């Protein structure tokens, strides 16, 4: 199976998803859009799935990043073709925008580990099969999305309500990051250090490092299960999540 991966910047890569895809034999075609030599595929037809990762730009900044218009067009094409699609953070916001929903600054910025809760629809979604009703996820965003008309909310949070939705049966948008590794969090903390200090003060980077270490130790099974679910969905699984092993 071949997956088109739209990666906006080098430091926000597939992370845990890369290893999971490789383990399952998926072929990934990564388009790193900050490289001026890279161009997007004109169509999703050669692919079996589409993944759009996060990035520091706004989904509404098409004037500065004209390729975002094409990303939105590819998302709509994937929907009409029935291709499984995942958007993470900026990717999720681009999915919302592709289907006519508002995307803009959130009332509350989120950086760090936050608890989210599955909705009733989320509990029955194959993407979250076998996961607790609430769990911690990594966040780093100042924008949020409204739900496109017809979308179904799958997860919500206290600081930022809309955390995950599905559009149709195969287009999944996440506001949070479950693909990050400890090394990615450390790298983002260094590259985006000024933003981190403005958000939480001088002591926040160390607190974030300690909490990240604890979450990776305590939530290992949650990450493993989520990655299993995601690979199953990306491979074309339907709503019949009973096919997925609970072990």
């Amino acid at each position: 199976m071949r997956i088109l991966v739209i990666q906006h910047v080098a430091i926000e890569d597939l992370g845990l998803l890369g290893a999971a895809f490789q383990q399952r034999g998926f072929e990934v075609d990564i388009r790193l859009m900050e490289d001026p030599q890279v161009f997007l595929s004109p169509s999703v037809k050669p692919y079996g799935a589409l993944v759009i990762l996060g990035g520091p730009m706004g989904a509404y900044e098409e004037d500065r990043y004209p390729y975002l218009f094409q990303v939105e067009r590819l998302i709509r094409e994937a929907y009409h073709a029935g291709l499984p699609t995942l958007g993470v953070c900026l990717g999720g916001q681009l999915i919302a925008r592709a289907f006519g929903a508002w995307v803009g600054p959130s009332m509350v910025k989120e950086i760090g580990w936050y608890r989210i809760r599955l909705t009733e629809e989320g509990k029955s979604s194959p993407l979250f099969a076998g996961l607790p009703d609430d769990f911690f996820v990594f966040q780093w965003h100042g924008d949020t999305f409204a739900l496109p008309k017809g979308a179904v909310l799958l997860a919500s949070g206290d600081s930022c309500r809309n955390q995950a939705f599905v559009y149709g049966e195969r287009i999944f948008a996440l506001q949070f990051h479950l693909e990050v590794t400890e090394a990615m969090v450390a790298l983002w903390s260094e590259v985006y250090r000024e933003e981190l200090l403005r958000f939480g003060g001088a002591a926040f980077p160390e607190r974030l490092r300690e909490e990240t270490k604890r979450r990776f130790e305590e939530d290992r099974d949650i990450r493993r299960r989520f990655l299993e679910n995601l690979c199953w969905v990306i491979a074309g699984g339907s709503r019949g999540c009973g096919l997925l092993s609970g072990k």
Side-chain angles (χ1 to χ4, degrees), residues 58-76:
Y60 42 80
E61 292 188 290
E62 294 100 340
D63 289 345
R64 293 184 61 190
Y65 307 96
Y67 78 89
L68 295 178
F69 283 120
Q70 189 178 356
V71 175
E72 293 169 19
R73 185 183 60 76
L74 290 173
I75 291 167
R76 290 189 292 269

Side-chain angles (χ1 to χ4, degrees), residues 119 121-122 145 147 151-156 161-166:
T119 64
E121 293 81 3
F145 48 66
L147 297 185
V152 176
L153 185 67
L154 300 179
S156 62
R161 179 178 181 269
N162 295 336
Q163 291 290 341
F165 69 81
V166 62

Side-chain angles (χ1 to χ4, degrees), residues 30-237:
I30 300 174
R31 304 296 177 98
L32 178 56
M33 301 312 299
E34 73 174 353
D35 183 343
Q37 304 299 316
V38 170
F39 296 91
L40 279 177
S41 170
S43 173
V44 296
K45 287 181 180 178
Y47 303 96
L50 172 64
V51 173
I52 310 104
L53 299 175
M57 62 284 290
Y60 42 80
E61 292 188 290
E62 294 100 340
D63 289 345
R64 293 184 61 190
Y65 307 96
Y67 78 89
L68 295 178
F69 283 120
Q70 189 178 356
V71 175
E72 293 169 19
R73 185 183 60 76
L74 290 173
I75 291 167
R76 290 189 292 269
E77 183 188 353
Y79 168 73
H80 291 296
L83 258 64
T85 298
L86 173 73
V88 176
C89 199
L90 172 60
Q93 295 163 7
L94 286 165
I95 289 175
R97 194 163 172 84
F99 296 113
W102 172 87
V103 176
S106 176
M107 293 183 64
V108 178
K109 191 171 196 173
E110 293 184 321
I111 300 179
W113 294 89
Y114 292 75
R115 187 185 299 274
I116 63 167
R117 297 178 302 277
L118 299 180
T119 64
E120 289 304 311
E121 293 81 3
K123 294 173 189 177
S124 62
S125 169
L127 188 61
F128 296 108
L131 292 177
D133 291 352
D134 61 89
F135 52 92
F136 284 91
V137 295
F138 186 73
Q139 307 271 18
W140 196 312
H141 66 98
D143 287 345
T144 187
F145 48 66
L147 297 185
K149 184 177 181 180
V152 176
L153 185 67
L154 300 179
S156 62
D158 293 329
S159 303
C160 179
R161 179 178 181 269
N162 295 336
Q163 291 290 341
F165 69 81
V166 62
Y167 187 83
E169 291 193 355
R170 293 186 171 183
I171 310 293
F172 291 90
L174 308 180
Q175 181 57 78
F176 53 88
H177 297 271
L178 267 175
E179 84 287 3
V180 292
T181 64
E182 287 187 80
M184 287 172 68
V185 174
L187 178 60
W188 295 2
S189 298
E190 182 61 32
V191 174
Y192 302 134
R193 184 172 180 79
E194 292 304 316
E195 180 184 4
L196 200 63
L197 293 175
R198 288 195 301 271
F199 175 81
F204 186 65
E206 179 60 21
R207 292 204 310 272
L208 179 60
R209 187 193 68 78
E210 293 175 354
E211 186 172 8
T212 297
K213 185 175 187 298
R214 183 170 70 254
R215 294 262 67 92
F216 267 80
E217 292 171 352
E218 295 179 3
D219 299 340
R220 190 183 310 274
D221 290 342
I222 290 174
R223 288 192 305 281
R224 177 190 59 79
R225 182 65 189 222
F226 179 79
L227 290 170
E228 289 176 356
N229 292 352
L230 177 59
C231 287
W232 188 76
V233 167
I234 287 291

